[in-house]
């Protein structure tokens, strides 16, 4: 199975990146795993011109197609996102906006290979789950329009620093076992 784990944060070595490393470690047995960070890509904001509704392609030249090639390669996509003002980071939102050519709400539209499954891990520093649920909702909405089946979510509260993950590794492992076995 091909698994993509995407760090939706622009911080390549922070707590979100640490969760990406743990997920990779827990799912790589018997699988081909790629990890990436949204900040590894040059993604220009959507211009709202709707030309892609006619052509199924954006006129802008940047790295969206490169990242979508990895999405197309993957059988499972694990999105790991921190809370930035109670939602996904802006860099990831810009990517989602630019995926309009793949959005199933208009024809023609580009398509990913069928049968993909999506999983979301949301983390936040505060104690309440509503922010995690909002992040999960944003990513599941995105997956739905790409026809990626949302198959599992996990919210982690009280996570600000890598050290906060020490006592949560077992929970992350259980979530990763679900990814492996679905």
């Amino acid at each position: 199975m091909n698994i993509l784990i995407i760090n939706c944060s622009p911080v390549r070595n922070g707590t979100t990146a640490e969760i990406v490393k743990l997920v990779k470690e827990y799912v790589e047995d018997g699988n081909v795993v790629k990890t990436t960070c949204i900040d590894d890509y040059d993604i220009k904001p959507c211009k709202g011109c709707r030309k892609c509704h006619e052509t199924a392609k954006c006129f802008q030249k940047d790295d969206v197609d490169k990242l979508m090639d990895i999405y197309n390669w993957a059988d499972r996509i694990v999105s790991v996102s921190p809370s930035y003002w109670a939602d996904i980071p802006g860099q990831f939102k810009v990517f989602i906006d630019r995926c309009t050519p793949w959005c199933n709400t208009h024809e023609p539209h580009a398509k990913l290979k069928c049968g993909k499954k999506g999983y979301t891990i949301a983390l936040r520093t505060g104690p309440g789950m509503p922010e995690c649920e909002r992040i999960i909702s944003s990513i599941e909405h995105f997956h739905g329009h790409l026809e990626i089946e949302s198959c599992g979510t996990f919210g982690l509260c009280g996570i600000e620093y890598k050290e906060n993950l020490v006592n949560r590794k077992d929970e992350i492992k259980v979530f990763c076992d679900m990814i492996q076995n679905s």
Side-chain angles (χ1 to χ4, degrees):
M1 177 168 30
N2 296 334
I3 301 174
L4 167 64
I5 310 165
I6 183 164
N7 177 352
C8 301
S9 168
V11 182
R12 296 173 194 192
N13 61 357
T15 307
T16 306
E18 187 66 23
I19 293 170
V20 168
K21 283 177 23 184
L22 287 170
V23 172
K24 181 178 191 261
E25 175 185 323
Y26 295 149
V27 301
E28 66 187 343
D29 187 32
N31 298 303
V32 179
V33 180
K34 290 184 182 181
T35 63
T36 195
C37 178
I38 194 64
D39 204 48
D40 292 340
Y41 301 90
D42 173 35
I43 301 173
K44 297 175 182 164
C46 177
K47 300 289 186 183
C49 69
R50 296 179 178 246
K51 289 179 185 170
C52 64
H53 288 218
E54 301 165 13
T55 64
K57 201 139 186 68
C58 183
F59 71 91
Q60 298 188 84
K61 303 298 178 213
D62 60 10
D63 292 337
V64 170
D65 287 342
K66 186 186 326 182
L67 185 50
M68 288 307 288
D69 286 344
I70 301 170
Y71 267 69
N72 201 40
W73 165 85
D75 301 307
R76 305 286 186 270
I77 298 158
V78 183
S79 303
V80 185
S81 180
S83 173
Y84 278 33
W85 287 97
D87 211 333
I88 57 176
Q91 293 85 338
F92 194 66
K93 176 63 166 88
V94 168
F95 167 64
I96 289 172
D97 290 346
R98 283 294 310 289
C99 287
T100 301
W102 289 268
C103 181
N104 64 2
T105 59
H106 59 83
E107 290 295 340
H109 70 275
K111 294 180 175 139
L112 296 173
K113 286 187 270 180
C114 295
K116 298 182 181 306
K117 294 184 177 186
Y119 302 85
T120 305
I121 300 174
L123 62 141
R124 67 174 304 250
T125 60
M129 278 301 289
E131 276 186 36
C132 287
E133 291 164 356
R134 184 172 176 169
I135 292 163
I136 290 165
S137 178
S138 292
I139 293 172
E140 285 188 326
H141 184 85
F142 169 58
H143 284 171
H145 283 295
L146 296 183
E147 299 178 1
I148 297 169
E149 179 186 0
S150 291
C151 293
T153 64
F154 182 46
L156 286 163
C157 296
I159 305 294
E160 185 166 1
Y161 303 107
K162 294 177 187 180
E163 297 79 31
N164 301 130
L165 295 171
V166 171
N167 296 325
R168 309 297 294 274
K169 289 182 180 181
D170 289 343
E171 294 172 76
I172 296 168
K173 173 81 169 84
V174 167
F175 183 74
C176 291
D177 289 345
M178 180 191 56
I179 295 168
Q180 287 264 86
N181 297 318
S182 65

